[in-house]
Amino acid sequence: MELVTTIRPKVSLYASIGAVIVNLLAIVPVIFTGSWVYLPSLICSLAVIDLAVWLFFVNPKIAFDEGQVVVTNPLRIFRADWGAIKGFETKFGLAFVTEGKKFVSWSAPAPSRREVRRLTRDDLKGSGLENFEFVEPGLIHSSESGSAYWQFEELRANNTAQTKKVRLSANWLGLACLIAILILAYVDLHI
């Protein structure tokens, strides 16, 4: 069964563009000056940066459909049917709450303090949050966690399936990437 929708953090686009720019700014001068002796060390350094950007900013995602949700973090993968999800928390990021456990997704962070300071009562109008005395910043529709929260709350409420499977596993691709980062960093330091 293929999951229909995927949510990735907004920062992943900017991190990817930044990594490409750093790569170009590092490799182009080496090529034009003919400093080939520095190329192996440079390639190791850039590979460490690129793998770290991929692992921590591009790889985290939330894939979901009407039956289940799959949350991929750098080192762990959380799979659950909507019937197993008891609720959500948005304190530091969107967390899926199941029986006695919660799993925080890296893909839907709560807004920063700077973003929260800019909020006014007008920003809450029409969101259903304007009458509350205290509003958790992660619930605001314009935040990544809030946007995902409202979608997921609707899916959870409309869930008619009785299955309640929850599975937490290692992200083997993420672990392999982390090991590659460590090996490349070691090689870079000893070239």
Side-chain angles (χ1 to χ4, degrees):
M1 171 165 62
E2 189 172 318
L3 300 176
V4 178
T5 307
T6 301
I7 296 174
R8 291 189 186 273
K10 291 177 187 173
V11 73
S12 64
L13 174 65
Y14 303 120
S16 301
I17 291 170
V20 168
I21 290 171
V22 167
N23 287 335
L24 290 174
L25 290 174
I27 290 178
V28 169
V30 168
I31 292 172
F32 282 123
T33 60
S35 305
W36 304 107
V37 75
Y38 300 112
L39 199 56
S41 177
L42 179 64
I43 288 174
C44 283
S45 298
L46 292 175
V48 166
I49 292 169
D50 293 342
L51 285 172
V53 165
W54 180 83
L55 180 63
F56 296 112
F57 297 106
V58 178
N59 183 42
K61 66 184 175 212
I62 304 171
F64 64 96
D65 61 13
E66 293 178 2
Q68 69 173 337
V69 63
V70 178
V71 180
T72 304
N73 280 352
L75 301 178
R76 297 186 310 169
I77 297 175
F78 170 81
R79 288 178 174 81
D81 295 329
W82 288 113
I85 306 292
K86 301 294 179 201
F88 306 97
E89 290 181 8
T90 59
K91 185 173 183 179
F92 300 111
L94 183 66
F96 295 83
V97 179
T98 61
E99 284 293 327
K101 296 191 181 224
K102 68 180 175 179
F103 188 82
V104 179
S105 170
W106 286 39
S107 301
S112 68
R113 288 181 181 173
R114 186 171 36 110
E115 290 175 83
V116 171
R117 277 191 227 123
R118 284 189 253 154
L119 291 174
T120 63
R121 286 245 180 238
D122 294 332
D123 295 326
L124 301 177
K125 285 188 179 171
S127 67
L129 299 172
E130 67 269 7
N131 295 327
F132 292 116
E133 185 177 324
F134 174 77
V135 176
E136 200 171 294
L139 291 177
I140 297 168
H141 290 274
S142 61
S143 71
E144 290 182 73
S145 60
S147 173
Y149 170 83
W150 294 106
Q151 289 179 58
F152 295 154
E153 189 60 49
E154 183 178 333
L155 281 169
R156 188 179 72 84
N158 294 335
N159 180 44
T160 58
Q162 297 299 319
T163 58
K164 295 184 178 190
K165 289 189 278 185
V166 177
R167 188 170 149 227
L168 187 62
S169 61
N171 182 355
W172 295 109
L173 186 60
L175 288 169
C177 185
L178 185 61
I179 291 168
I181 288 170
L182 295 173
I183 291 170
L184 285 168
Y186 178 82
V187 169
D188 184 32
L189 291 172
H190 292 88
I191 286 184

